[in-house]
Amino acid sequence: MIITLKDGQTREYAEPKMIYDIARDLSDGLARAACVAAVDGETCDLRTVLDRDCTLEILTFDDPRGKAAYRHTCSHVLAEAVKNLYPDVKLAIGPSIDTGYYYDFEAEPFSREDLDAIEAEMKKIIKKGARLERFTLPRAEAIALMEERNEPYKVELIRDLPEDAELSFYRQGDFVDLCAGPHLMSTRPIKAFKLTSSSGAYWRGSEKNKMLQRIYGTAYTKKEELKDYLDYLATIRERDHNKLGREMELFTTVDVIGQGLPLFMPKGTKIIQTMQRWIEDVEEERGYVRTKTPLMAKSDLYKISGHWDHYKEGMFVLGDEEKDDEVMALRPMTCPFQYYVYKATQKSYRDLPYRMGETSTLFRNEDSGEMHGLTRVRQFTISEGHLIVRPDQIGEEFKGCVDLAVYCLTTLGLQDDVTYRLSKWDPENKDKYIGSPEYWETTQGMMRDFLNELGLNFVEADGEAAFYGPKLDIQAKNVYGKEDTMITIQLDLALAEQFDMYYIDQNGERVRPFIIHRTSIGCYERTLAWLIEKYNGQLPTWLCPEQVRVLPISEKYQEYAEQVEAELKKNGILTTIDARPEKIGYKIRAARKERLPYMLVVGAQEQEAGLVAVRSRFLGDEGQKPLDAFINDITREIRTKEIRKIESEAQK
């Protein structure tokens, strides 16, 4: 047989040969570094025996596929260690992920001390260096094996697999796990690992199922790489908006109020208010009319729109359909309400496009396991809008919505942190959607053409569309690498029919319009979380709830400090005074800790000359300036929404 290698070279063998032996034939060093291999593009174990002509690539930890197998093997070591220490624990699943691996267990919550004990047990297992052996079983024997080992989650997984699926297992010593692989040859190559955290996780991601305990970990081939990653983790934890937002007194949560229902404190409320007023002004400049619609409606409305059939599980329903004459629901989106604003007066072709914008409070019944800080909540406020357009206007208006979104991202300094996704329907699950296959091909084709004309670099994803039409999803990742949708723009050629919406054309005929659903900045809560993490809490000055703090050196200069404060406030600058009887160094440190953009120190010299001593987080000590000059500088910075760079190392 002829084996063609990655570089085009070939090796010829007269008899079948294990991939690991071929790797040794190529280089002892390569064999030691090898994790798995790719045969004709398919990833497989090094223990796989080749008996035919094929292409072969030996994969080390440097390749994502090799890294995944390395970490997946570490997840099996984790599972074995947990079973050794806690024999009654039940195993669920344990895949590799981008940052390492995890394993889910039916168990009591794990403490940090528990994780340390599990790590110690993992080290013992790795030191033994047990070989991993792959074997398969017929369906009945596979179920019997897992029932004998009292692993109900594994039994459930086996029963859910197709009848013709190959049921493979991996054994390392006495530990056996249901797994498709691939894996390392043994546990010995695992050099550096760490269990990073534990949390609750619903079995199969559904809150209807049992809450399991998930242990997260990571693994590297070198201790230096592990240390670098753990240092990085410590850094991003410091940037987590959940931590920073509470430290900065922007928001809090209370158990008796409920999960996913954050309370915004005065500073956080001020930031949201600033963004909201900005967006409303920008939309008005772009020809939007504003609406204000109810927070709830009868189920009848959602039945017309299709939300009752396609989105009911995500809604908060008030009442019982079997008992109550009138069942209400809190609104998960604003579109059906705004349609009736459009329908309230007859429109002609001259009235279109009709752009409606609303600062909408919405309610969605998110799974408790999915909620996190401000990024996924049950009540949120969004810059929602709907454009009713003629068919000949849809391209221009769609591009205008993209332009508005890009403008908002650019103003916030977020434009380089996003990716674009064309979210399409899933033709294998037609029941999730309204409309024919032809409808979906038409709308998806239109959106694809618009995006290409804009020159956007986008990916396509099946099954991510709204039930009534495709979407452009503008995506971003949080500090932990989890991706969320920040802004959406959707095409809808269906709901105008369901709501009997029309306009009068040039010939006096009734014509169905097209609809664009869109957000300009998305959800304010999620955007704030993104900004906190992006800027490590040091928001652009125009967004800060406190832009300047005046610091009198002593009580003797309190009156001058108040004069400075009054002049700043007269110019719309958010200002406070730190009048505490503390030393000036203490006051400066306190203001820096609160991430304020500017401090103005005032004492004898400043009072006599009408000056202020400026300290900023951008340059540190900027020296003395006339108060008028400082006001001119900061008002320009706020007016232009400038994003100043932090140039002083001491301020970072």
Side-chain angles (χ1 to χ4, degrees):
M1 64 179 175
I2 297 174
I3 307 298
T4 303
L5 305 175
K6 181 181 179 181
D7 60 5
Q9 294 186 47
T10 60
R11 289 288 191 277
E12 189 169 348
Y13 298 98
E15 55 188 21
K17 205 166 185 70
M18 186 187 297
I19 293 176
Y20 178 75
D21 293 331
I22 296 175
R24 289 183 60 190
D25 188 33
L26 296 171
S27 160
D28 285 340
L30 177 63
R32 285 193 298 272
C35 294
V36 286
V39 176
D40 291 337
E42 293 293 322
T43 309
C44 61
D45 288 332
L46 295 174
R47 59 184 63 75
T48 303
V49 175
L50 302 182
D51 59 2
R52 58 179 174 80
D53 294 352
C54 61
T55 61
L56 174 65
E57 185 179 358
I58 307 297
L59 306 175
T60 67
F61 187 82
D62 292 333
D63 186 281
R65 295 165 291 181
K67 191 179 274 94
Y70 185 95
R71 290 170 168 173
H72 192 183
T73 301
C74 202
S75 81
H76 277 223
V77 174
L78 163 61
E80 181 181 357
V82 170
K83 290 292 286 187
N84 288 350
L85 296 175
Y86 312 100
D88 293 335
V89 159
K90 305 293 185 292
L91 303 176
I93 58 172
S96 65
I97 54 177
D98 288 345
T99 56
Y101 55 89
Y102 69 78
Y103 212 109
D104 288 347
F105 305 92
E106 183 185 314
E108 294 299 314
F110 295 100
S111 66
R112 182 65 247 181
E113 290 73 19
D114 293 331
L115 299 188
D116 292 341
I118 295 166
E119 280 185 11
E121 183 67 18
M122 290 173 70
K123 289 177 182 177
K124 295 177 184 177
I125 294 168
I126 291 168
K127 188 175 181 180
K128 290 179 182 177
R131 292 183 63 82
L132 274 82
E133 301 172 0
R134 182 180 187 274
F135 64 94
T136 61
L137 290 175
R139 192 180 195 84
E141 292 182 29
I143 291 173
L145 175 63
M146 290 296 100
E147 286 180 337
E148 178 186 340
R149 289 177 171 259
N150 195 19
E151 298 292 359
Y153 297 99
K154 301 295 182 180
V155 172
E156 181 178 331
L157 290 171
I158 294 170
R159 293 189 190 279
D160 287 349
L161 288 170
E163 289 289 337
D164 58 350
E166 182 179 66
L167 301 175
S168 60
F169 296 82
Y170 280 83
R171 177 187 290 114
Q172 57 197 49
D174 294 330
F175 178 76
V176 175
D177 202 356
L178 173 73
C179 186
H183 281 283
L184 303 181
M185 296 287 283
S186 77
T187 62
R188 194 175 295 278
I190 300 173
K191 301 297 183 186
F193 70 92
K194 184 69 178 176
L195 301 183
T196 53
S197 63
S198 63
S199 65
Y202 288 110
W203 170 234
R204 294 188 157 180
S206 173
E207 64 177 357
K208 297 177 182 178
N209 294 332
K210 190 175 183 65
M211 174 69 78
L212 305 179
Q213 298 303 313
R214 176 172 294 177
I215 297 178
Y216 287 97
T218 193
Y220 288 85
T221 56
K222 298 176 182 176
K223 291 182 179 179
E224 297 81 4
E225 292 178 342
L226 175 62
K227 181 181 181 302
D228 288 345
Y229 176 72
L230 294 178
D231 289 345
Y232 163 74
L233 269 189
T235 300
I236 64 173
R237 285 192 186 110
E238 289 300 310
R239 299 177 79 99
D240 187 335
H241 80 275
N242 249 326
K243 176 178 182 293
L244 279 180
R246 287 172 168 81
E247 288 178 359
M248 296 170 66
E249 298 180 3
L250 302 183
F251 72 94
T252 187
T253 52
V254 181
D255 287 343
V256 296
I257 291 175
Q259 192 177 9
L261 299 171
L263 299 174
F264 280 92
M265 300 168 78
K267 292 179 182 179
T269 303
K270 187 63 182 177
I271 299 171
I272 295 288
Q273 181 191 59
T274 300
M275 286 197 289
Q276 181 178 318
R277 288 176 174 175
W278 165 56
I279 290 297
E280 290 177 353
D281 288 345
V282 167
E283 290 181 345
E284 187 171 338
E285 290 169 4
R286 293 188 178 225
Y288 283 78
V289 296
R290 302 215 65 76
T291 66
K292 183 174 175 58
T293 56
L295 300 180
M296 66 179 76
K298 296 194 298 184
S299 59
D300 305 51
L301 178 70
Y302 304 115
K303 289 174 182 176
I304 297 171
S305 67
H307 289 100
W308 204 253
D309 291 333
H310 297 277
Y311 202 81
K312 185 179 176 183
E313 287 189 0
M315 298 167 66
F316 287 102
V317 177
L318 310 175
D320 188 324
E321 287 185 277
E322 295 183 1
K323 298 178 182 177
D324 301 324
D325 294 333
E326 186 173 87
V327 174
M328 310 285 285
L330 298 177
R331 65 179 184 185
M333 58 281 296
T334 311
C335 45
F337 297 86
Q338 287 194 328
Y339 297 160
Y340 283 100
V341 173
Y342 173 83
K343 284 166 58 72
T345 58
Q346 184 168 285
K347 306 293 190 299
S348 83
Y349 69 96
R350 294 187 184 90
D351 297 315
L352 303 188
Y354 191 71
R355 307 183 187 102
M356 293 176 285
E358 182 167 334
T359 303
S360 305
T361 298
L362 304 179
F363 306 86
R364 294 185 184 174
N365 192 10
E366 299 282 3
D367 290 343
S368 59
E370 291 294 317
M371 286 182 287
H372 173 71
L374 300 180
T375 57
R376 194 169 289 275
V377 291
R378 284 175 168 159
Q379 176 184 308
F380 57 94
T381 303
I382 192 168
S383 59
E384 194 165 18
H386 298 88
L387 290 77
I388 315 301
V389 304
R390 303 192 309 260
D392 62 296
Q393 297 171 327
I394 194 165
E396 181 180 353
E397 291 300 315
F398 178 86
K399 293 173 188 176
C401 292
V402 176
D403 180 73
L404 173 57
V406 171
Y407 165 76
C408 292
L409 291 169
T410 303
T411 303
L412 294 170
L414 303 171
Q415 71 277 11
D416 295 329
D417 302 329
V418 300
T419 56
Y420 297 89
R421 182 180 76 191
L422 170 52
S423 296
K424 305 184 296 184
W425 80 320
D426 178 4
E428 300 299 319
N429 291 285
K430 296 184 177 68
D431 291 344
K432 290 171 55 179
Y433 308 92
I434 62 175
S436 66
E438 292 75 21
Y439 164 81
W440 283 94
E441 289 305 315
T442 297
T443 52
Q444 289 171 178
M446 291 171 65
M447 184 173 285
R448 187 182 295 110
D449 290 343
F450 298 153
L451 297 176
N452 285 328
E453 289 168 15
L454 287 168
L456 286 183
N457 183 20
F458 64 94
V459 298
E460 300 190 15
D462 289 336
E464 297 294 336
F467 68 84
Y468 48 78
K471 301 186 294 177
L472 169 64
D473 285 327
I474 301 179
Q475 307 285 109
K477 292 181 179 179
N478 67 12
V479 289
Y480 297 105
K482 184 182 182 301
E483 188 173 78
D484 285 301
T485 300
M486 307 307 296
I487 297 172
T488 65
I489 304 170
Q490 308 169 13
L491 288 187
D492 172 7
L493 312 187
L495 291 183
E497 178 76 30
Q498 294 184 217
F499 281 90
D500 191 27
M501 298 166 66
Y502 65 88
Y503 64 92
I504 305 300
D505 70 4
Q506 299 93 319
N507 302 316
E509 300 292 331
R510 291 187 174 192
V511 180
R512 297 289 184 212
F514 290 169
I515 302 170
I516 301 174
H517 307 239
R518 48 99 276 180
T519 59
S520 48
I521 196 177
C523 165
Y524 286 99
E525 289 84 352
R526 186 174 290 179
T527 301
L528 177 56
W530 188 12
L531 289 167
I532 292 169
E533 295 181 351
K534 162 80 174 181
Y535 293 108
N536 195 21
Q538 300 185 101
L539 301 177
T541 301
W542 72 276
L543 279 174
C544 288
E546 184 180 354
Q547 294 160 338
V548 177
R549 184 172 295 174
V550 184
L551 310 178
I553 290 177
S554 71
E555 291 182 8
K556 290 190 295 183
Y557 310 107
Q558 177 71 18
E559 184 177 345
Y560 180 58
E562 291 172 356
Q563 293 173 16
V564 170
E565 178 194 33
E567 195 64 25
L568 291 166
K569 286 185 173 180
K570 190 167 72 175
N571 285 273
I573 301 162
L574 302 173
T575 310
T576 63
I577 297 177
D578 187 345
R580 294 176 295 174
E582 301 284 355
K583 292 182 178 181
I584 193 65
Y586 178 90
K587 294 181 180 181
I588 290 172
R589 289 192 296 274
R592 284 186 57 192
K593 187 176 181 181
E594 293 181 47
R595 295 171 169 78
L596 300 187
Y598 292 99
M599 294 162 270
L600 301 183
V601 180
V602 293
Q605 290 183 354
E606 290 78 21
Q607 180 173 287
E608 290 172 9
L611 302 173
V612 289
V614 181
R615 298 186 67 91
S616 75
R617 67 174 181 220
F618 311 107
L619 298 175
D621 188 349
E622 295 191 18
Q624 291 179 328
K625 289 183 182 180
L627 179 58
D628 288 347
F630 174 77
I631 289 174
N632 286 337
D633 289 343
I634 192 173
T635 53
R636 178 197 51 77
E637 181 184 339
I638 293 169
R639 183 180 66 256
T640 62
K641 299 178 175 59
E642 179 185 355
I643 300 174
R644 290 189 67 184
K645 292 183 179 179
I646 299 175
E647 299 177 16
S648 170
E649 284 298 321
Q651 307 303 312
K652 290 183 179 178

